[in-house]
Amino acid sequence: MDTDEERPLVVENSKNQEPIVNHERDVHILSCAFLLIFLAYGAAQNLESTINTEGNLGTISLGILYLSFMVCSIFASLVVRKLGSKNALILGSTGYWLFVAANLMPNWYTMVPASLYLGFAASIIWVGQGTYLTSTARSHANDHSLNEAVIIGKFNGVFWMMFALHQFVGNLITLALMRDEEGGSTSGTTLLFLVFVCAITLGAVLMCFLSKRTGKEEARQQDFSASFVSSVATLLKSIMTLLQDIRMLLIIPLIAYSGLQQAFVWAEFTKYIVKPIMGESGVGGAMAIYGVFDAICSLVAGNFTFGLSSISIIVSGGALVQGAVLVWILLTHSATGGVLGVLYPLLIAALWGIGDGVLNTQLSALLGILFKDDLEGAFAQLKLWQSFAIAIVFFLGPYISLQTMLVIMFVVLCLSVVGFLLLTLKIEKAFSYRAA
């Protein structure tokens, strides 16, 4: 017998007096939970290359994490289908808790296992997030007779706006608790990571209050409960089917670029642009600016997403901003002091946040619109190619120059935009053919 706590919060439909789930409540709970979890993890990730420097422990740990993330993303959709998206979200949060806790005693015996497990946990939490958010948006649109694409865009805008704030909040906490000391050392890291562990714990608890998704998602769960072997076979077939889909092949370069630009901000931007000008303590301030503009842009882009045509315009605008920033850094970068020198990394952080907000909201909305029948597989592909690109940056970053990294990113950005525009033309042509 269900208890009151197990029943989802409902509101009365005045038309037919049937109870319907409060989907907007679930979006807000999911968004707040991710904010709590990632304000801790995001700030910890920004610090890895500066506080765990012995033997490049921090950078290598992140590289291992994203390689594990990439491999586990292949099977993440299977896990999410078996567990259900809500349970996958709760289980995924444990990996972030373990990784941040490992930073209280950072060494090879704590950080490497924690990184490997977080790769698995991250793969299922992100596939679970994409599946849960999209199914929630579709249910809300169905219950209220609204345009599905508009609601998917709106819900993604709300989520990614809240998520982007993790950089602002987490880095403000870092600024408040960490202090640079003479001799190049820092103090307050133990207290900082204890606060972060508490934040992740609260986020995981909050996820327990999400409504359980029903309908098609649960039906797929039952289909996959027959046997592990048949489930794996079906999963591999699903992966191959998506990789043979020309729409997915044209999106993959843009997905990969989104991973490259995120890793660039976390590792290269803070190391080569922020730290030489503003010092270690300035990393938190620059990343806070990045988070604020990321959040604002995510909300605005989400609210202006009405379908493929609007996605095309927004993505093109975001790509133009990031391309301009890449060229600007490549041609003018120098570690100068003074007021103008400090404004330089802050302005770049703001512009980069705008580009990241565009890619996050529009890629999620695009996959939700184009791959309705295999949401778990589509979002698994998203995280697989993103994590692959991120791992490349973390492993190659120490061995190539900033200028080389910028050129690589600019080339990938150009290729990804060409692929995306071809996708747009292909879909518009298909719609025109059907209409005729």
Side-chain angles (χ1 to χ4, degrees), residues 30-46:
L30 182 68
S31 303
C32 291
F34 268 70
L35 172 61
L36 287 167
I37 291 169
F38 282 89
L39 72 84
Y41 171 71
Q45 180 177 246
N46 294 337

Side-chain angles (χ1 to χ4, degrees), residues 334-383:
S334 62
T336 58
V339 176
L340 292 178
V342 173
L343 288 177
Y344 174 72
L346 296 181
L347 181 57
I348 290 176
L351 293 172
W352 212 274
I354 292 172
D356 187 61
V358 164
L359 289 177
N360 283 332
T361 55
Q362 301 310 297
L363 278 173
S364 295
L366 183 64
L367 293 176
I369 293 170
L370 294 183
F371 301 98
K372 297 179 181 179
D373 297 328
D374 190 7
L375 290 176
E376 298 95 338
F379 284 104
Q381 291 282 341
L382 172 66
K383 290 305 168 182

Side-chain angles (χ1 to χ4, degrees), residues 41-63 99 103 111 178 193 263-272 274-275 280 283 287 393-394 397-398:
Y41 171 71
Q45 180 177 246
N46 294 337
L47 293 169
E48 287 299 324
S49 61
T50 57
I51 63 173
N52 294 327
T53 56
E54 187 176 349
N56 289 321
L57 172 61
T59 304
I60 292 175
S61 294
L62 290 175
F99 180 83
N103 277 275
M111 294 299 294
M178 282 188 67
F193 284 109
F264 176 83
V265 172
W266 299 334
E268 307 300 300
F269 172 67
T270 55
K271 181 179 178 181
Y272 290 110
V274 179
K275 186 178 176 181
E280 249 179 51
V283 170
M287 294 304 289
V393 173
F394 282 125

Side-chain angles (χ1 to χ4, degrees), residues 157 295-305 314:
I296 293 171
C297 185
S298 295
L299 183 62
V300 173
N303 285 328
F304 280 95
T305 301
I314 296 170

Side-chain angles (χ1 to χ4, degrees), residues 257-331:
Y257 176 76
S258 72
L260 284 177
Q261 60 92 24
Q262 288 177 14
F264 176 83
V265 172
W266 299 334
E268 307 300 300
F269 172 67
T270 55
K271 181 179 178 181
Y272 290 110
I273 298 175
V274 179
K275 186 178 176 181
I277 297 173
M278 303 177 67
E280 249 179 51
S281 59
V283 170
M287 294 304 289
I289 295 294
Y290 166 79
V292 168
F293 279 85
D294 198 336
I296 293 171
C297 185
S298 295
L299 183 62
V300 173
N303 285 328
F304 280 95
T305 301
F306 305 110
L308 186 63
S309 58
S310 61
I311 291 175
S312 302
I313 295 171
I314 296 170
V315 168
S316 299
L320 183 63
V321 170
Q322 291 219 344
V325 174
L326 287 170
V327 173
W328 183 26
I329 300 173
L330 191 61
L331 297 179

